[in-house]
Amino acid sequence: MVWGKKLFVKRPVLLSVVSFAAITGITLFKAALELEDAEQAYYTQWLRWGYDDQPPLYTWLQYGVNQVFGSHKVSFSLLRGAIFASILLLMWRFAHKMIKDTNKVELAILGLVLLPVFIDFTFRRLSHTSLLCAAVLASYLILERLMHRRTWGNYALFGLVVGIGLLSKYNYAFFLAALGLTMFFDAPVQKVVCHKKIFLTVLLVVAVSFPHFHWLLGPEGYLTELQQSIAEKTENVSGNGLYVIGPLFSLLLNLLRLILPLAVVLGLGTLLRKLRWQTLKMDWFVKMAIAQMVVLVLFFVVLNVQKVEERWLMPLVLPFVIVLVRTIEFKSVSKWSTYGFVLFLTVIGFQVVRTPAEKVLGIPSSVHFDFGPIYNTLRKDYGGKDWMLPDVTYGGNIRLLDPEKEIVSKDDFSYPKSKFLNFKGVEVVLGKDLVKERKVLDSISDFGKERSALFIVERKGNGHARTKK
């Protein structure tokens, strides 16, 4: 009881519990699922070695949660809430290893509230990216252990975590690249990576990740689909005059957006002399931070990536908030910690009331529009036929209303190609995608936030192409 009491009064632990409850509670105010929850509602119809353009681990975890609690809105929030809470706890544990001052350890976690993409997107909607944040933090935590104890157990644990990272999101490769680069100019990292026991790590990584990558590299063409999806998302083009300037500008701009509120607060604190900066201690962790930036710059410049999203960078930047806090001496660190704790709770409270407030104030949001009209039409008039929806957002929300019926989405490239081409039943088509030659059976007008026109057409297994994302 004493141990439990001491643990619970720790602010990061309390924030983890509150955040988990808040994320779960937000669901009660939503008529429809967020984009990524809808994707999970759709993909958890099956257990596959891969799903679309993301690794499968998050969907496997969601599948397990759904088996226990059913395919309900709360089930999707439960997993996201658990991962969000685990990020805070992992950050807390790792900060304890890297910072000795307890108040500054808390500030490392509380500082996350000043990263908008973390507190908004991760709190409300992100799935694979959230899991990657947890995997990267766990990787740093185990690396720190390996610096002091290069045991078989720690190398085995590292192998499992690396495997989990690769199955969480392909961006995890950036962490591995930074680790490999750091090895060349940091002796402690080199001793860890070049130790003979790293063979066990590699063996476990292969064992954990091989089935998925075997599926991805198979003859069905999933790798090509993945490459096309990544090229479209990053606006990867060649031959323009912005070959270096464009990618660098996009990367730096999104890094600035990612940390802007945090930078403003620290800047004001410096001007008001509430904090002062100390000399940066060049240990292995700081060198990893430098290496990570070098890897990102090289990747985006060499591949000429013109579009970068803040959320893609967040898992790779998140751990280095610890470096920032460690480099600052606060005039009254306890006050900073108290104000940060209050701010974190306030922001969580805002996230909870945001959805119902938007509805009361008439602010358009896709989660306020129920998919009942589409489902009722399909069930009433086409209940005996198979259904194909235009994308996984529609498919997941319809699946939520009828968990017993298999739903097919036109943009699901991981759905077996032969079954897709031979699909017979009815298809819901967005007005802009309707082909004149196709016979319209029914229609729904002014649906959802975008007030889209939907048409129900017959599909006779004549090989209509998939929808591009």
Side-chain angles (χ1 to χ4, degrees):
M1 286 297 291
V2 174
W3 179 86
K5 184 178 180 181
K6 286 182 178 180
L7 180 65
F8 187 77
V9 296
K10 295 288 186 180
R11 284 173 177 167
V13 179
L14 180 58
L15 285 177
S16 299
V17 174
V18 172
S19 298
F20 175 79
I23 289 173
T24 306
I26 287 174
T27 306
L28 302 176
F29 303 112
K30 297 178 180 178
L33 294 173
E34 297 273 8
L35 169 62
E36 298 203 21
D37 283 350
E39 290 181 350
Q40 295 309 310
Y42 173 79
Y43 287 122
T44 48
Q45 294 180 89
W46 314 279
L47 272 178
R48 299 175 180 166
W49 288 119
Y51 302 88
D52 207 59
D53 58 357
Q54 299 286 1
L57 182 58
Y58 191 97
T59 306
W60 290 346
L61 294 173
Q62 188 66 68
Y63 182 91
V65 172
N66 291 359
Q67 295 303 302
V68 177
F69 298 102
S71 185
H72 305 295
K73 285 189 290 185
V74 174
S75 299
F76 302 99
S77 292
L78 281 173
L79 179 57
R80 191 170 60 257
I83 292 174
F84 187 92
S86 72
I87 291 171
L88 298 183
L89 293 175
L90 285 166
M91 187 81 168
W92 179 44
R93 291 295 302 164
F94 183 53
H96 259 295
K97 300 291 184 180
M98 307 305 294
I99 306 173
K100 303 306 178 184
D101 189 323
T102 302
N103 285 316
K104 291 180 74 171
V105 168
E106 290 185 355
L107 276 178
I109 288 86
L110 298 173
L112 299 180
V113 78
L114 297 174
L115 303 180
V117 70
F118 175 77
I119 204 66
D120 184 20
F121 281 82
T122 310
F123 193 91
R124 295 172 63 87
R125 64 197 69 176
L126 293 184
S127 51
H128 302 87
T129 300
S130 299
L131 190 57
L132 178 61
C133 287
V136 170
L137 284 167
S139 300
Y140 277 112
L141 187 59
I142 297 169
L143 259 179
E144 195 280 333
R145 292 180 62 174
L146 283 167
M147 297 292 170
H148 303 287
R149 297 186 301 278
R150 292 189 288 275
T151 65
W152 285 104
N154 284 338
Y155 275 101
L157 195 57
F158 191 49
L160 292 175
V161 170
V162 171
I164 287 171
L166 291 172
L167 293 180
S168 299
K169 201 172 177 71
Y170 299 121
N171 294 16
Y172 186 82
F174 289 128
F175 164 80
L176 294 179
L179 178 63
L181 180 58
T182 307
M183 177 184 69
F184 291 102
F185 56 92
D186 184 79
V189 171
Q190 187 179 74
K191 289 178 181 178
V192 169
V193 175
C194 296
H195 198 279
K196 63 180 181 181
K197 294 177 183 176
I198 198 72
F199 174 77
L200 177 60
T201 298
V202 175
L203 188 64
L204 287 171
V205 170
V206 172
V208 170
S209 61
F210 176 79
H212 166 67
F213 286 101
H214 180 265
W215 171 89
L216 182 65
L217 299 172
E220 293 81 4
Y222 297 131
L223 180 60
T224 301
E225 295 280 2
L226 172 64
Q227 291 171 333
Q228 291 176 352
S229 177
I230 292 174
E232 290 173 11
K233 287 180 177 179
T234 59
E235 297 182 2
N236 187 352
V237 294
S238 58
N240 61 47
L242 299 176
Y243 188 77
V244 174
I245 298 175
L248 274 179
F249 177 78
S250 184
L251 175 62
L252 295 176
L253 179 62
N254 280 277
L255 279 172
L256 179 61
R257 287 175 178 170
L258 180 63
I259 65 169
L260 183 59
L262 181 60
V264 169
V265 170
L266 294 179
L268 287 174
T270 303
L271 289 174
L272 297 173
R273 297 185 178 181
K274 300 295 182 181
L275 60 87
R276 64 186 181 89
W277 298 85
Q278 299 174 313
T279 304
L280 191 66
K281 180 184 177 182
M282 291 296 293
D283 60 3
W284 71 270
F285 188 44
V286 173
K287 292 176 183 178
M288 276 285 291
I290 296 170
Q292 189 67 89
M293 282 304 304
V294 171
V295 167
L296 288 174
V297 168
L298 288 175
F299 174 82
F300 287 112
V301 170
V302 170
L303 293 187
N304 194 23
V305 175
Q306 298 295 328
K307 179 182 177 183
V308 184
E309 296 286 350
E310 297 163 61
R311 63 181 184 275
W312 301 346
L313 304 174
M314 180 181 62
L316 305 171
V317 173
L318 200 68
F320 302 120
V321 173
I322 295 172
V323 173
L324 194 63
V325 172
R326 194 177 63 176
T327 311
I328 299 172
E329 182 179 337
F330 297 90
K331 187 173 182 180
S332 178
V333 67
S334 60
K335 286 185 178 180
W336 279 82
S337 182
T338 299
Y339 293 151
F341 181 66
V342 172
L343 177 62
F344 209 118
L345 288 177
T346 302
V347 172
I348 289 175
F350 170 77
Q351 293 288 354
V352 172
V353 301
R354 174 177 163 184
T355 298
E358 288 174 342
K359 189 170 185 178
V360 171
L361 297 174
I363 300 173
S365 176
S366 58
V367 298
H368 295 316
F369 293 91
D370 186 5
F371 280 72
I374 302 175
Y375 172 66
N376 291 334
T377 300
L378 290 171
R379 182 187 60 179
K380 179 181 177 182
D381 299 327
Y382 312 99
K385 297 180 179 291
D386 291 330
W387 304 340
M388 179 177 288
L389 279 297
D391 57 44
V392 293
T393 302
Y394 280 80
N397 276 287
I398 297 299
R399 169 70 179 176
L400 191 71
L401 297 171
D402 194 344
E404 301 302 320
K405 189 175 184 68
E406 182 176 275
I407 307 295
V408 178
S409 170
K410 195 173 181 180
D411 65 347
D412 176 14
F413 74 68
S414 55
Y415 190 78
K417 187 177 295 185
S418 59
K419 292 180 66 176
F420 182 88
L421 294 175
N422 295 315
F423 181 89
K424 294 180 180 180
V426 295
E427 178 184 347
V428 178
V429 181
L430 294 172
K432 62 183 178 63
D433 298 325
L434 182 65
V435 179
K436 292 182 179 179
E437 292 76 16
R438 301 185 70 180
K439 181 180 178 181
V440 176
L441 304 175
D442 211 332
S443 65
I444 299 172
S445 60
D446 296 331
F447 176 77
K449 177 184 175 182
E450 308 299 329
R451 306 189 70 82
S452 303
L454 305 176
F455 299 91
I456 299 177
V457 300
E458 187 173 11
R459 191 175 175 107
K460 299 180 179 181
N462 50 2
H464 290 290
R466 298 181 192 270
T467 300
K468 289 292 183 184
K469 284 187 175 295

